[in-house]
Amino acid sequence: MDQTLSALGVNEVRVEYLAGDQDDGDSWSAKSVSLADEQARAVTPERIAEIEDPYTREAVTAVLGWIRTAAGRGHGIIGFFH
């Protein structure tokens, strides 16, 4: 997932940090999310449609949505694990 996001130009945040094996989760700061949002704005729907694997395409779309929503509110993102 992070490799695909990076290829799209979104490399300020890494999904592996939210979805890792840590017991207590991790987070992306509001500043990192804001910078990732700036990067994500350059990703066109056509570039997302070019992602061959439908699971990866759906996941990228979801992550970009998280980034846009959090950045629009001036928030970071926290990952929780169980």
Side-chain angles (χ1 to χ4, degrees):
M1 164 64 70
D2 289 321
Q3 184 177 2
T4 302
L5 286 169
S6 185
L8 292 170
V10 181
N11 56 22
E12 179 61 32
V13 294
R14 297 188 56 84
V15 174
E16 73 177 274
Y17 295 158
L18 294 181
D21 294 329
Q22 303 163 357
D23 292 335
D24 58 354
D26 203 351
S27 64
W28 299 341
S29 70
K31 181 178 180 179
S32 291
V33 169
S34 177
L35 292 171
D37 183 50
E38 289 177 25
Q39 295 173 337
R41 290 178 189 276
V43 179
T44 64
E46 294 80 18
R47 291 199 60 210
I48 294 171
E50 292 172 356
I51 299 170
E52 291 185 27
D53 178 58
Y55 172 78
T56 302
R57 187 172 49 248
E58 183 179 336
V60 164
T61 299
V63 171
L64 294 178
W66 301 345
I67 291 169
R68 289 181 188 114
T69 299
R73 297 176 181 169
H75 293 173
I77 296 176
I78 299 174
F80 293 96
F81 309 100
H82 55 87

mmCIF file of all heavy atoms in Angstrom, residues 28-35 70-71 74-77:
data_model
loop_
_atom_site.group_PDB
_atom_site.id
_atom_site.type_symbol
_atom_site.label_atom_id
_atom_site.label_comp_id
_atom_site.label_asym_id
_atom_site.label_seq_id
_atom_site.Cartn_x
_atom_site.Cartn_y
_atom_site.Cartn_z
ATOM 1 N N TRP A 28 -0.648 9.672 12.833
ATOM 2 C CA TRP A 28 -0.095 10.647 11.912
ATOM 3 C C TRP A 28 -0.455 12.006 12.494
ATOM 4 O O TRP A 28 -1.619 12.271 12.789
ATOM 5 C CB TRP A 28 -0.710 10.523 10.541
ATOM 6 C CG TRP A 28 -0.518 9.217 9.828
ATOM 7 C CD1 TRP A 28 0.416 8.259 10.077
ATOM 8 C CD2 TRP A 28 -1.287 8.726 8.726
ATOM 9 N NE1 TRP A 28 0.275 7.218 9.208
ATOM 10 C CE2 TRP A 28 -0.763 7.478 8.361
ATOM 11 C CE3 TRP A 28 -2.367 9.230 8.015
ATOM 12 C CZ2 TRP A 28 -1.290 6.724 7.322
ATOM 13 C CZ3 TRP A 28 -2.888 8.479 6.971
ATOM 14 C CH2 TRP A 28 -2.345 7.243 6.628
ATOM 15 N N SER A 29 0.498 12.873 12.653
ATOM 16 C CA SER A 29 0.235 14.192 13.217
ATOM 17 C C SER A 29 -0.614 15.027 12.267
ATOM 18 O O SER A 29 -0.684 14.752 11.060
ATOM 19 C CB SER A 29 1.549 14.928 13.486
ATOM 20 O OG SER A 29 2.157 15.294 12.255
ATOM 21 N N ALA A 30 -1.245 16.051 12.809
ATOM 22 C CA ALA A 30 -2.034 16.960 11.972
ATOM 23 C C ALA A 30 -1.151 17.601 10.901
ATOM 24 O O ALA A 30 -1.589 17.789 9.762
ATOM 25 C CB ALA A 30 -2.702 18.028 12.845
ATOM 26 N N LYS A 31 0.091 17.898 11.257
ATOM 27 C CA LYS A 31 1.012 18.496 10.278
ATOM 28 C C LYS A 31 1.306 17.511 9.145
ATOM 29 O O LYS A 31 1.281 17.880 7.971
ATOM 30 C CB LYS A 31 2.314 18.921 10.959
ATOM 31 C CG LYS A 31 3.292 19.558 10.002
ATOM 32 C CD LYS A 31 4.553 20.013 10.707
ATOM 33 C CE LYS A 31 5.508 20.640 9.690
ATOM 34 N NZ LYS A 31 6.720 21.122 10.313
ATOM 35 N N SER A 32 1.578 16.246 9.498
ATOM 36 C CA SER A 32 1.847 15.238 8.475
ATOM 37 C C SER A 32 0.637 15.019 7.578
ATOM 38 O O SER A 32 0.767 14.871 6.360
ATOM 39 C CB SER A 32 2.247 13.906 9.120
ATOM 40 O OG SER A 32 3.505 14.007 9.715
ATOM 41 N N VAL A 33 -0.547 14.999 8.176
ATOM 42 C CA VAL A 33 -1.774 14.819 7.393
ATOM 43 C C VAL A 33 -1.975 16.006 6.458
ATOM 44 O O VAL A 33 -2.359 15.839 5.298
ATOM 45 C CB VAL A 33 -2.989 14.594 8.320
ATOM 46 C CG1 VAL A 33 -4.289 14.673 7.548
ATOM 47 C CG2 VAL A 33 -2.869 13.250 9.025
ATOM 48 N N SER A 34 -1.702 17.196 6.944
ATOM 49 C CA SER A 34 -1.837 18.386 6.103
ATOM 50 C C SER A 34 -0.883 18.324 4.912
ATOM 51 O O SER A 34 -1.268 18.618 3.771
ATOM 52 C CB SER A 34 -1.575 19.648 6.925
ATOM 53 O OG SER A 34 -1.628 20.791 6.111
ATOM 54 N N LEU A 35 0.353 17.928 5.156
ATOM 55 C CA LEU A 35 1.327 17.803 4.067
ATOM 56 C C LEU A 35 0.926 16.679 3.107
ATOM 57 O O LEU A 35 1.055 16.820 1.890
ATOM 58 C CB LEU A 35 2.722 17.554 4.637
ATOM 59 C CG LEU A 35 3.326 18.729 5.411
ATOM 60 C CD1 LEU A 35 4.611 18.303 6.118
ATOM 61 C CD2 LEU A 35 3.581 19.911 4.490
ATOM 62 N N ALA A 70 -9.445 14.318 7.459
ATOM 63 C CA ALA A 70 -8.694 14.772 8.634
ATOM 64 C C ALA A 70 -8.052 16.131 8.387
ATOM 65 O O ALA A 70 -8.107 17.016 9.251
ATOM 66 C CB ALA A 70 -7.634 13.740 9.015
ATOM 67 N N ALA A 71 -7.457 16.314 7.214
ATOM 68 C CA ALA A 71 -6.811 17.597 6.907
ATOM 69 C C ALA A 71 -7.836 18.720 6.877
ATOM 70 O O ALA A 71 -7.566 19.829 7.347
ATOM 71 C CB ALA A 71 -6.072 17.516 5.573
ATOM 72 N N GLY A 74 -8.313 19.831 10.265
ATOM 73 C CA GLY A 74 -7.112 20.184 11.021
ATOM 74 C C GLY A 74 -6.699 19.112 12.017
ATOM 75 O O GLY A 74 -6.033 19.409 13.004
ATOM 76 N N HIS A 75 -7.053 17.855 11.733
ATOM 77 C CA HIS A 75 -6.775 16.745 12.649
ATOM 78 C C HIS A 75 -5.665 15.847 12.120
ATOM 79 O O HIS A 75 -5.369 15.844 10.926
ATOM 80 C CB HIS A 75 -8.021 15.874 12.820
ATOM 81 C CG HIS A 75 -9.141 16.555 13.525
ATOM 82 N ND1 HIS A 75 -10.378 15.995 13.647
ATOM 83 C CD2 HIS A 75 -9.235 17.755 14.140
ATOM 84 C CE1 HIS A 75 -11.182 16.797 14.308
ATOM 85 N NE2 HIS A 75 -10.500 17.881 14.610
ATOM 86 N N GLY A 76 -5.135 15.050 13.004
ATOM 87 C CA GLY A 76 -4.254 13.952 12.638
ATOM 88 C C GLY A 76 -5.099 12.691 12.560
ATOM 89 O O GLY A 76 -6.332 12.747 12.625
ATOM 90 N N ILE A 77 -4.438 11.544 12.450
ATOM 91 C CA ILE A 77 -5.126 10.249 12.392
ATOM 92 C C ILE A 77 -4.437 9.315 13.358
ATOM 93 O O ILE A 77 -3.204 9.222 13.382
ATOM 94 C CB ILE A 77 -5.111 9.681 10.968
ATOM 95 C CG1 ILE A 77 -5.884 10.586 10.018
ATOM 96 C CG2 ILE A 77 -5.691 8.249 10.954
ATOM 97 C CD1 ILE A 77 -5.843 10.160 8.558
#
